[in-house]
DNA sequence: TTGAATTTTCAAAATATTCTGAAAGTTTTT
DNA sequence: AAAAACTTTCAGAATATTTTGAAAATTCAA
Protein backbone atom coordinates (compact mmCIF):
# COMPACT_ATOMS: atom_id res chain seq x y z
CA UNK A 1 0.00 0.00 0.00
CA UNK A 2 1.19 3.44 -0.95
CA UNK A 3 0.79 5.21 2.40
CA UNK A 4 2.87 2.54 4.05
CA UNK A 5 5.57 3.10 1.49
CA UNK A 6 5.74 6.79 2.41
CA UNK A 7 5.68 6.05 6.11
CA UNK A 8 8.57 3.66 5.67
CA UNK A 9 10.54 6.15 3.63
CA UNK A 10 9.97 8.80 6.29
CA UNK A 11 11.10 6.45 9.03
CA UNK A 12 14.15 5.59 7.02
CA UNK A 13 14.88 9.28 6.56
CA UNK A 14 14.57 9.97 10.29
CA UNK A 15 16.68 6.98 11.19
CA UNK A 16 19.35 7.81 8.61
CA UNK A 17 19.49 11.45 9.67
CA UNK A 18 20.03 10.34 13.25
CA UNK A 19 22.80 7.93 12.35
CA UNK A 20 24.64 10.35 10.11
CA UNK A 21 24.38 13.13 12.65
CA UNK A 22 26.53 11.27 15.16
CA UNK A 23 29.24 11.25 12.48
CA UNK A 24 29.27 14.99 12.49
CA UNK A 25 29.08 15.72 16.19
CA UNK A 26 25.34 16.15 16.62
CA UNK A 27 23.53 13.75 18.88
CA UNK A 28 21.23 11.12 17.50
CA UNK A 29 18.02 12.21 19.15
CA UNK A 30 18.49 15.85 18.30
CA UNK A 31 18.89 14.88 14.66
CA UNK A 32 15.87 12.60 14.74
CA UNK A 33 13.66 15.28 16.21
CA UNK A 34 14.94 17.65 13.58
CA UNK A 35 14.19 15.16 10.81
CA UNK A 36 10.72 14.51 12.20
CA UNK A 37 9.91 18.21 12.24
CA UNK A 38 11.43 18.72 8.80
CA UNK A 39 9.00 16.15 7.42
CA UNK A 40 6.02 17.37 9.37
CA UNK A 41 3.71 19.78 7.59
CA UNK A 42 2.24 20.86 10.91
CA UNK A 43 4.14 22.04 13.97
CA UNK A 44 4.36 19.47 16.76
CA UNK A 45 4.32 19.59 20.55
CA UNK A 46 6.45 17.67 23.02
CA UNK A 47 3.88 14.92 23.59
CA UNK A 48 3.54 14.22 19.90
CA UNK A 49 7.32 14.00 19.49
CA UNK A 50 7.59 11.73 22.54
CA UNK A 51 4.95 9.40 21.12
CA UNK A 52 6.37 9.43 17.63
CA UNK A 53 10.01 8.74 18.50
CA UNK A 54 9.32 6.80 21.70
CA UNK A 55 11.58 8.91 23.88
CA UNK A 56 11.23 10.56 27.26
CA UNK A 57 9.91 14.00 28.00
CA UNK A 58 13.22 15.18 29.38
CA UNK A 59 15.06 14.09 26.31
CA UNK A 60 12.58 15.83 24.01
CA UNK A 61 12.70 19.01 26.03
CA UNK A 62 16.47 19.17 26.10
CA UNK A 63 16.92 18.52 22.41
CA UNK A 64 14.22 20.95 21.37
CA UNK A 65 16.16 23.57 23.29
CA UNK A 66 19.40 22.61 21.52
CA UNK A 67 17.69 22.70 18.13
CA UNK A 68 16.47 26.19 18.88
CA UNK A 69 20.02 27.18 19.90
CA UNK A 70 21.21 25.90 16.55
CA UNK A 71 18.50 27.97 14.87
CA UNK A 72 17.04 24.94 13.14
CA UNK A 73 13.55 25.02 14.65
CA UNK A 74 11.21 27.69 15.93
CA UNK A 75 8.72 27.78 18.78
CA UNK A 76 5.17 28.45 17.66
CA UNK A 77 2.48 29.51 20.09
CA UNK A 78 -0.88 28.52 18.70
CA UNK A 79 -3.87 30.64 19.79
CA UNK A 80 -6.07 28.81 22.25
CA UNK A 81 -3.37 26.19 22.90
CA UNK A 82 -1.51 25.86 26.18
CA UNK A 83 1.17 23.62 24.74
CA UNK A 84 4.22 24.88 22.88
CA UNK A 85 4.51 23.82 19.27
CA UNK A 86 7.68 23.52 17.25
CA UNK A 87 8.26 23.86 13.55
CA UNK A 88 11.43 23.30 11.54
CA UNK A 89 13.03 25.71 9.12
CA UNK A 90 12.13 24.12 5.79
CA UNK A 91 14.39 26.17 3.53
CA UNK A 92 17.29 23.75 3.25
CA UNK A 93 19.72 26.44 2.13
CA UNK A 94 18.94 28.32 5.36
CA UNK A 95 19.35 25.09 7.31
CA UNK A 96 22.76 24.47 5.75
CA UNK A 97 23.77 28.06 6.46
CA UNK A 98 22.72 27.75 10.09
CA UNK A 99 24.64 24.52 10.54
CA UNK A 100 27.76 25.96 8.93
CA UNK A 101 27.45 29.10 11.06
CA UNK A 102 27.07 27.14 14.26
CA UNK A 103 29.90 24.77 13.48
CA UNK A 104 32.14 27.69 12.59
CA UNK A 105 31.36 29.20 15.99
CA UNK A 106 31.94 25.96 17.86
CA UNK A 107 34.87 24.51 15.97
CA UNK A 108 36.94 27.36 14.57
CA UNK A 109 36.34 30.07 17.18
CA UNK A 110 37.86 28.20 20.13
CA UNK A 111 40.84 27.13 18.00
CA UNK A 112 41.71 30.73 17.11
CA UNK A 113 41.39 31.80 20.72
CA UNK A 114 43.54 28.95 21.98
CA UNK A 115 46.34 29.68 19.52
CA UNK A 116 46.35 33.38 20.39
CA UNK A 117 46.48 32.43 24.00
CA UNK A 118 49.49 30.18 23.55
CA UNK A 119 51.34 32.72 21.40
CA UNK A 120 51.11 35.33 24.11
CA UNK A 121 53.03 33.31 26.67
CA UNK A 122 56.12 32.71 24.52
CA UNK A 123 58.95 35.01 23.46
CA UNK A 124 60.84 33.91 20.29
CA UNK A 125 64.23 34.13 21.96
CA UNK A 126 65.55 30.65 21.10
CA UNK A 127 65.47 28.51 17.98
CA UNK A 128 63.22 25.97 19.67
CA UNK A 129 60.74 28.61 20.68
CA UNK A 130 60.78 30.03 17.19
CA UNK A 131 60.01 26.61 15.77
CA UNK A 132 57.17 26.13 18.20
CA UNK A 133 55.76 29.57 17.45
CA UNK A 134 55.98 28.87 13.72
CA UNK A 135 53.55 25.98 14.09
CA UNK A 136 51.19 27.83 16.40
CA UNK A 137 51.24 30.80 14.04
CA UNK A 138 50.58 28.66 10.99
CA UNK A 139 47.60 27.04 12.67
CA UNK A 140 46.40 30.45 13.70
CA UNK A 141 46.61 31.70 10.13
CA UNK A 142 44.83 28.69 8.66
CA UNK A 143 42.04 28.97 11.21
CA UNK A 144 41.57 32.68 10.67
CA UNK A 145 41.55 32.06 6.94
CA UNK A 146 38.95 29.30 7.24
CA UNK A 147 36.89 31.50 9.52
CA UNK A 148 36.99 34.45 7.13
CA UNK A 149 36.20 32.30 4.14
CA UNK A 150 33.18 30.75 5.82
CA UNK A 151 32.00 34.10 7.12
CA UNK A 152 32.14 35.78 3.75
CA UNK A 153 30.49 32.77 2.16
CA UNK A 154 27.68 32.93 4.66
CA UNK A 155 27.24 36.68 4.76
CA UNK A 156 27.31 38.11 1.31
CA UNK A 157 24.35 37.22 -0.82
CA UNK A 158 26.34 38.57 -3.77
CA UNK A 159 29.08 36.03 -3.26
CA UNK A 160 30.03 34.20 -6.43
CA UNK A 161 29.88 30.92 -4.65
CA UNK A 162 26.40 31.56 -3.38
CA UNK A 163 25.21 32.67 -6.81
CA UNK A 164 26.79 29.61 -8.24
CA UNK A 165 24.85 27.62 -5.72
CA UNK A 166 21.54 29.30 -6.42
CA UNK A 167 22.00 28.54 -10.10
CA UNK A 168 22.43 24.87 -9.37
CA UNK A 169 19.78 24.79 -6.70
CA UNK A 170 17.00 26.34 -8.75
CA UNK A 171 17.46 24.27 -11.83
CA UNK B 1 63.51 29.16 33.57
CA UNK B 2 63.06 29.46 29.82
CA UNK B 3 63.06 25.77 28.91
CA UNK B 4 60.29 25.14 31.38
CA UNK B 5 58.29 27.90 29.78
CA UNK B 6 58.51 26.17 26.41
CA UNK B 7 57.72 22.77 27.89
CA UNK B 8 54.64 24.23 29.53
CA UNK B 9 53.53 25.90 26.34
CA UNK B 10 53.94 22.65 24.43
CA UNK B 11 51.95 20.74 27.02
CA UNK B 12 49.27 23.37 26.86
CA UNK B 13 49.23 23.05 23.08
CA UNK B 14 48.90 19.26 23.24
CA UNK B 15 46.20 19.44 25.89
CA UNK B 16 44.25 22.13 24.04
CA UNK B 17 44.47 20.30 20.74
CA UNK B 18 43.07 17.21 22.44
CA UNK B 19 40.20 19.07 24.02
CA UNK B 20 39.22 20.94 20.88
CA UNK B 21 39.40 17.79 18.79
CA UNK B 22 36.53 16.18 20.70
CA UNK B 23 34.44 19.19 19.69
CA UNK B 24 34.94 18.31 16.06
CA UNK B 25 34.50 14.56 16.18
CA UNK B 26 38.12 13.45 16.54
CA UNK B 27 39.08 11.55 19.63
CA UNK B 28 41.18 13.15 22.30
CA UNK B 29 44.13 10.78 22.23
CA UNK B 30 44.42 10.80 18.47
CA UNK B 31 44.59 14.58 18.57
CA UNK B 32 47.16 14.58 21.38
CA UNK B 33 49.43 12.18 19.54
CA UNK B 34 49.05 14.34 16.47
CA UNK B 35 49.95 17.46 18.45
CA UNK B 36 52.94 15.75 20.02
CA UNK B 37 54.29 14.70 16.64
CA UNK B 38 53.58 18.12 15.16
CA UNK B 39 55.80 19.68 17.81
CA UNK B 40 58.50 17.04 17.63
CA UNK B 41 61.47 17.81 15.40
CA UNK B 42 62.39 14.13 15.33
CA UNK B 43 60.14 11.23 14.46
CA UNK B 44 58.97 9.20 17.46
CA UNK B 45 58.27 5.52 18.14
CA UNK B 46 55.41 3.96 20.06
CA UNK B 47 57.35 3.66 23.31
CA UNK B 48 58.32 7.31 23.29
CA UNK B 49 54.73 8.35 22.68
CA UNK B 50 53.49 6.01 25.44
CA UNK B 51 55.97 7.50 27.88
CA UNK B 52 55.28 11.08 26.87
CA UNK B 53 51.49 10.96 26.98
CA UNK B 54 51.20 8.25 29.64
CA UNK B 55 48.91 6.03 27.62
CA UNK B 56 48.83 2.33 26.81
CA UNK B 57 50.52 0.59 23.91
CA UNK B 58 47.22 -0.49 22.39
CA UNK B 59 45.87 3.01 22.47
CA UNK B 60 49.00 4.43 20.82
CA UNK B 61 48.97 1.75 18.14
CA UNK B 62 45.34 2.25 17.27
CA UNK B 63 45.54 6.00 17.07
CA UNK B 64 48.75 6.00 15.03
CA UNK B 65 46.91 3.85 12.55
CA UNK B 66 43.97 6.26 12.47
CA UNK B 67 46.30 9.23 12.03
CA UNK B 68 47.89 7.50 9.05
CA UNK B 69 44.41 6.83 7.61
CA UNK B 70 43.73 10.54 7.94
CA UNK B 71 47.00 11.23 6.14
CA UNK B 72 48.27 13.38 8.98
CA UNK B 73 51.37 11.36 9.89
CA UNK B 74 53.80 9.12 8.05
CA UNK B 75 55.66 5.99 9.03
CA UNK B 76 59.41 6.33 8.85
CA UNK B 77 61.67 3.29 8.85
CA UNK B 78 65.05 4.31 10.18
CA UNK B 79 68.03 2.26 8.93
CA UNK B 80 69.37 -0.05 11.60
CA UNK B 81 66.22 0.40 13.72
CA UNK B 82 63.67 -2.33 14.33
CA UNK B 83 61.06 0.03 15.72
CA UNK B 84 58.71 2.03 13.54
CA UNK B 85 59.01 5.76 13.77
CA UNK B 86 56.30 8.29 13.01
CA UNK B 87 56.52 11.85 11.82
CA UNK B 88 53.78 14.40 11.31
CA UNK B 89 53.07 16.41 8.20
CA UNK B 90 54.34 19.84 9.22
CA UNK B 91 52.92 21.87 6.36
CA UNK B 92 49.79 23.18 8.06
CA UNK B 93 48.07 23.99 4.79
CA UNK B 94 48.47 20.35 3.79
CA UNK B 95 47.19 19.30 7.21
CA UNK B 96 44.11 21.48 6.83
CA UNK B 97 43.55 20.10 3.34
CA UNK B 98 43.80 16.52 4.57
CA UNK B 99 41.37 17.17 7.39
CA UNK B 100 38.89 18.85 5.07
CA UNK B 101 39.23 16.02 2.58
CA UNK B 102 38.67 13.34 5.18
CA UNK B 103 35.73 15.11 6.74
CA UNK B 104 34.17 15.61 3.32
CA UNK B 105 34.50 11.88 2.73
CA UNK B 106 33.07 10.94 6.10
CA UNK B 107 30.38 13.55 6.53
CA UNK B 108 29.11 14.54 3.11
CA UNK B 109 29.58 11.32 1.17
CA UNK B 110 27.25 9.16 3.25
CA UNK B 111 24.63 11.92 3.25
CA UNK B 112 24.52 12.06 -0.54
CA UNK B 113 24.30 8.29 -0.77
CA UNK B 114 21.54 8.08 1.80
CA UNK B 115 19.41 10.71 0.04
CA UNK B 116 19.81 9.01 -3.36
CA UNK B 117 18.84 5.76 -1.73
CA UNK B 118 15.66 7.21 -0.25
CA UNK B 119 14.68 8.96 -3.47
CA UNK B 120 14.80 5.70 -5.39
CA UNK B 121 12.14 4.02 -3.29
CA UNK B 122 9.46 6.67 -3.79
CA UNK B 123 7.28 7.59 -6.78
CA UNK B 124 5.90 11.18 -6.74
CA UNK B 125 2.32 10.03 -7.28
CA UNK B 126 0.67 11.88 -4.40
CA UNK B 127 1.00 15.38 -2.96
CA UNK B 128 2.46 14.01 0.26
CA UNK B 129 5.08 12.03 -1.56
CA UNK B 130 5.96 15.07 -3.63
CA UNK B 131 6.42 17.12 -0.49
CA UNK B 132 8.62 14.47 1.02
CA UNK B 133 10.69 14.15 -2.15
CA UNK B 134 11.08 17.93 -2.26
CA UNK B 135 12.91 17.88 1.07
CA UNK B 136 15.04 14.87 0.22
CA UNK B 137 15.92 16.44 -3.11
CA UNK B 138 16.80 19.77 -1.55
CA UNK B 139 19.12 18.08 0.93
CA UNK B 140 20.61 16.10 -1.90
CA UNK B 141 21.30 19.27 -3.85
CA UNK B 142 22.83 21.11 -0.92
CA UNK B 143 25.08 18.17 -0.13
CA UNK B 144 26.22 17.73 -3.70
CA UNK B 145 26.87 21.45 -3.87
CA UNK B 146 28.89 21.42 -0.65
CA UNK B 147 30.77 18.40 -1.87
CA UNK B 148 31.61 20.00 -5.21
CA UNK B 149 32.63 23.26 -3.62
CA UNK B 150 34.98 21.55 -1.21
CA UNK B 151 36.40 19.33 -3.90
CA UNK B 152 37.18 22.17 -6.25
CA UNK B 153 38.64 24.16 -3.37
CA UNK B 154 40.89 21.29 -2.46
CA UNK B 155 41.87 20.23 -5.95
CA UNK B 156 42.68 23.19 -8.05
CA UNK B 157 45.85 24.95 -7.08
CA UNK B 158 44.78 27.81 -9.34
CA UNK B 159 41.62 28.35 -7.36
CA UNK B 160 41.06 31.99 -6.44
CA UNK B 161 40.32 31.02 -2.89
CA UNK B 162 43.52 29.10 -2.56
CA UNK B 163 45.55 31.90 -4.08
CA UNK B 164 43.84 34.27 -1.76
CA UNK B 165 44.86 32.00 1.03
CA UNK B 166 48.48 31.76 -0.05
CA UNK B 167 48.67 35.53 -0.17
CA UNK B 168 47.50 35.78 3.41
CA UNK B 169 49.49 32.83 4.56
CA UNK B 170 52.85 33.98 3.21
CA UNK B 171 52.70 37.53 4.46
C1' DT C 1 64.56 -22.81 12.03
C1' DT C 2 64.44 -20.56 16.61
C1' DG C 3 63.65 -16.92 19.53
C1' DA C 4 63.84 -12.14 20.66
C1' DA C 5 61.86 -7.76 19.35
C1' DT C 6 58.07 -5.48 17.94
C1' DT C 7 53.32 -4.73 16.45
C1' DT C 8 48.49 -5.92 16.51
C1' DT C 9 44.29 -7.52 18.45
C1' DC C 10 40.52 -7.72 21.42
C1' DA C 11 37.86 -8.78 25.74
C1' DA C 12 37.16 -6.58 29.80
C1' DA C 13 37.49 -2.19 32.53
C1' DA C 14 37.19 2.64 32.76
C1' DT C 15 35.22 6.76 31.25
C1' DA C 16 32.03 9.73 28.91
C1' DT C 17 27.66 10.65 27.00
C1' DT C 18 22.88 10.30 26.61
C1' DC C 19 18.36 9.19 28.40
C1' DT C 20 14.76 8.53 31.80
C1' DG C 21 11.22 9.83 34.81
C1' DA C 22 9.71 11.78 38.79
C1' DA C 23 9.98 16.02 41.35
C1' DA C 24 10.26 20.91 41.17
C1' DG C 25 9.18 25.01 38.77
C1' DT C 26 6.20 27.95 35.94
C1' DT C 27 2.21 29.68 33.76
C1' DT C 28 -2.60 29.92 33.05
C1' DT C 29 -7.28 29.08 34.20
C1' DT C 30 -11.03 28.94 37.30
C1' DA D 1 -5.58 31.52 45.87
C1' DA D 2 -5.90 26.98 44.48
C1' DA D 3 -5.66 23.75 41.00
C1' DA D 4 -4.68 22.19 36.53
C1' DA D 5 -1.71 22.19 32.52
C1' DC D 6 2.43 22.32 31.04
C1' DT D 7 7.78 22.86 31.03
C1' DT D 8 12.24 22.30 33.10
C1' DT D 9 15.66 20.12 35.85
C1' DC D 10 18.71 16.70 37.34
C1' DA D 11 20.32 12.42 39.83
C1' DG D 12 20.69 7.95 38.69
C1' DA D 13 20.32 4.32 34.92
C1' DA D 14 21.36 2.93 30.44
C1' DT D 15 24.27 3.15 26.47
C1' DA D 16 28.24 4.19 23.85
C1' DT D 17 33.00 5.14 23.42
C1' DT D 18 37.63 4.87 24.72
C1' DT D 19 41.43 2.70 27.04
C1' DT D 20 44.07 -0.92 28.98
C1' DG D 21 47.12 -4.75 28.99
C1' DA D 22 48.09 -9.27 28.22
C1' DA D 23 47.98 -12.71 24.60
C1' DA D 24 48.48 -13.63 19.72
C1' DA D 25 50.59 -12.50 15.50
C1' DT D 26 54.30 -10.81 12.86
C1' DT D 27 58.94 -9.56 11.63
C1' DC D 28 63.71 -9.99 11.63
C1' DA D 29 68.40 -11.44 13.12
C1' DA D 30 71.23 -15.09 14.11
Amino acid sequence: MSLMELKEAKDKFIHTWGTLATQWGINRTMAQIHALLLLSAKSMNADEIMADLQISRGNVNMNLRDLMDWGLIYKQLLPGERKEYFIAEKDIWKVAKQIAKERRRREIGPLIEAMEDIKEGIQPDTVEKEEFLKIVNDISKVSVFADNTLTSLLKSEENWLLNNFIKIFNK
Side-chain angles (χ1 to χ4, degrees), chain A residues 3-139:
Chain A
L3 271 180
M4 207 50 216
E5 199 180 295
L6 181 58
K7 173 85 169 63
E8 265 167 32
K10 285 188 174 185
D11 282 351
K12 186 173 177 185
F13 179 86
I14 290 169
H15 177 262
T16 304
W17 200 247
T19 307
L20 290 178
T22 58
Q23 296 272 316
W24 61 68
I26 290 160
N27 107 333
R28 210 180 84 245
T29 307
M30 177 171 151
Q32 286 185 344
I33 295 176
H34 183 224
L36 178 64
L37 290 175
L38 259 186
L39 297 186
S40 169
K42 301 188 199 62
S43 55
M44 296 178 78
N45 64 41
D47 289 284
E48 289 166 345
I49 296 168
M50 283 171 67
D52 211 307
L53 299 178
Q54 294 289 308
I55 55 180
S56 72
R57 183 176 301 284
N59 200 4
V60 168
N61 185 272
M62 182 182 197
N63 284 297
L64 283 173
R65 182 169 327 291
D66 287 349
L67 281 167
M68 284 194 290
D69 287 348
W70 277 75
L72 298 176
I73 65 170
Y74 312 113
K75 195 183 279 190
Q76 220 179 32
L77 290 175
L78 300 184
E81 278 278 7
R82 284 286 292 278
K83 283 179 179 151
E84 294 177 333
Y85 283 74
F86 299 88
I87 191 156
E89 171 60 59
K90 299 289 172 66
D91 179 336
I92 300 297
W93 174 243
K94 276 194 194 167
V95 172
K97 258 169 79 168
Q98 270 308 120
I99 291 173
K101 208 168 144 187
E102 196 63 20
R103 291 185 73 173
R104 181 187 137 256
R105 194 176 70 73
R106 286 166 192 244
E107 297 182 5
I108 306 181
L111 182 58
I112 293 173
E113 277 178 48
M115 292 305 112
E116 291 305 315
D117 218 41
I118 288 171
K119 272 195 266 179
E120 272 169 24
I122 294 287
Q123 236 54 39
D125 49 20
T126 67
V127 177
E128 275 121 17
K129 286 189 185 178
E130 263 173 26
E131 281 167 359
F132 174 65
L133 280 175
K134 165 86 166 67
I135 291 171
V136 176
N137 258 311
D138 284 358
I139 294 171

Side-chain angles (χ1 to χ4, degrees), chain A residues 139-156:
Chain A
I139 294 171
S140 201
K141 280 177 186 170
V142 175
S143 337
V144 168
F145 168 73
D147 197 52
N148 288 343
T149 304
L150 255 179
T151 301
S152 76
L153 265 176
L154 294 173
K155 269 204 184 138
S156 109

